[in-house]
Amino acid sequence: MLSRIRAFSPVKSINNEIARVKNIRLRYYFYSLMFFGLFCGSEKKMKKNLCIFTILLFCTGVVCAADPAEGYWISWDEKTDKATGGWYIHVNSDGMLYGEMLSAAGFTPETKAYGAKGKKPYKNFPVAGNPEDMPLVGTPWIFCMKKVKDGIWAGGNIVDPGDGNLYKCKITYHGASGAKPAWLEVLGEIGLGIGRSQRWRLSSEEEASSIW
């Protein structure tokens, strides 16, 4: 868990935001193709297509808009104030939020979930098989999170691959404020409000993938 937030860097923050919406160029290219395809023809056809284009543009923008919780994040140990892993948080086609580790401090990409030995498969876990056989990196340890509102997700679970335990999970995005960069509050609990939370720092794909 992060107990002291690093100094805010405007340039780095901008780069992180670009990474979180990395498909924006593709969307612009798509709009350009739509524009030239729809507005070739008679004036009557152009007016009709203008209406269609406006509707499609709005709908596509809504669908492609990323939730602020999506992106690359660094998890921290509150006692040592050191990074423990890099994460990629994203929304799947089923509309739910998932999270995979891209790197884990002190472990190689081939390391299995060492703490999950003897654990039975988790209910609704998106990957079939025994947890102890799954790699730390690339496995969706955060899964089936449901959207409460923008930046807030709950109703899913998080697995601690260090001990294999399953926890209820809630994720809350906190935007940048003054010199403080954006951060993610990740809460894991066993029930009745008993659990703990971590503060994850906004990162880039490159940084989140290089914590070993």
Side-chain angles (χ1 to χ4, degrees):
M1 188 190 300
L2 177 63
S3 57
R4 297 193 300 275
I5 298 180
R6 293 183 178 179
F8 176 68
S9 168
V11 174
K12 191 171 185 179
S13 179
I14 292 173
N15 289 335
N16 290 341
E17 292 299 320
I18 292 174
R20 288 200 311 118
V21 200
K22 63 181 181 180
N23 64 339
I24 193 169
R25 290 183 179 177
L26 182 61
R27 297 211 308 270
Y28 286 160
Y29 178 67
F30 171 69
Y31 296 154
S32 298
L33 290 178
M34 287 178 60
F35 182 85
F36 287 112
L38 290 173
F39 295 105
C40 292
S42 64
E43 181 178 353
K44 183 177 181 180
K45 181 180 178 181
M46 288 174 63
K47 289 181 178 179
K48 179 181 178 180
N49 287 342
L50 176 61
C51 180
I52 296 174
F53 178 76
T54 303
I55 295 173
L56 289 175
L57 184 65
F58 173 78
C59 293
T60 305
V62 171
V63 170
C64 293
D67 186 90
E70 291 186 85
Y72 300 95
W73 301 88
I74 301 293
S75 58
W76 289 80
D77 186 307
E78 62 176 340
K79 295 180 180 179
T80 63
D81 194 28
K82 292 183 178 180
T84 58
W87 292 77
Y88 174 49
I89 306 295
H90 60 93
V91 177
N92 267 10
S93 57
D94 59 6
M96 292 190 283
L97 193 80
Y98 295 81
E100 297 106 26
M101 294 188 77
L102 300 181
S103 59
F107 299 96
T108 65
E110 296 78 22
T111 303
K112 303 295 184 181
Y114 57 92
K117 187 174 182 179
K119 295 288 185 179
K120 296 181 179 179
Y122 308 110
K123 183 179 179 180
N124 298 324
F125 198 66
V127 180
N130 295 319
E132 64 185 272
D133 297 325
M134 299 177 187
L136 288 176
V137 174
T139 300
W141 300 116
I142 297 174
F143 61 98
C144 296
M145 302 291 294
K146 301 171 183 64
K147 189 169 186 174
V148 178
K149 62 180 182 179
D150 285 350
I152 300 179
W153 297 76
N157 297 95
I158 182 171
V159 175
D160 182 350
D163 57 22
N165 289 333
L166 178 72
Y167 301 91
K168 295 179 180 179
C169 185
K170 182 179 180 180
I171 291 177
T172 304
Y173 170 83
H174 298 268
S177 177
K180 296 181 179 180
W183 58 283
L184 204 65
E185 180 183 2
V186 181
L187 171 65
E189 62 177 18
I190 59 176
L192 301 176
I194 301 174
R196 65 188 183 94
S197 63
Q198 290 187 335
R199 294 174 64 136
W200 293 8
R201 182 172 61 84
L202 182 62
S203 178
S204 64
E205 181 178 5
E206 180 179 7
E207 184 182 11
S209 302
S210 59
I211 300 175
W212 302 108

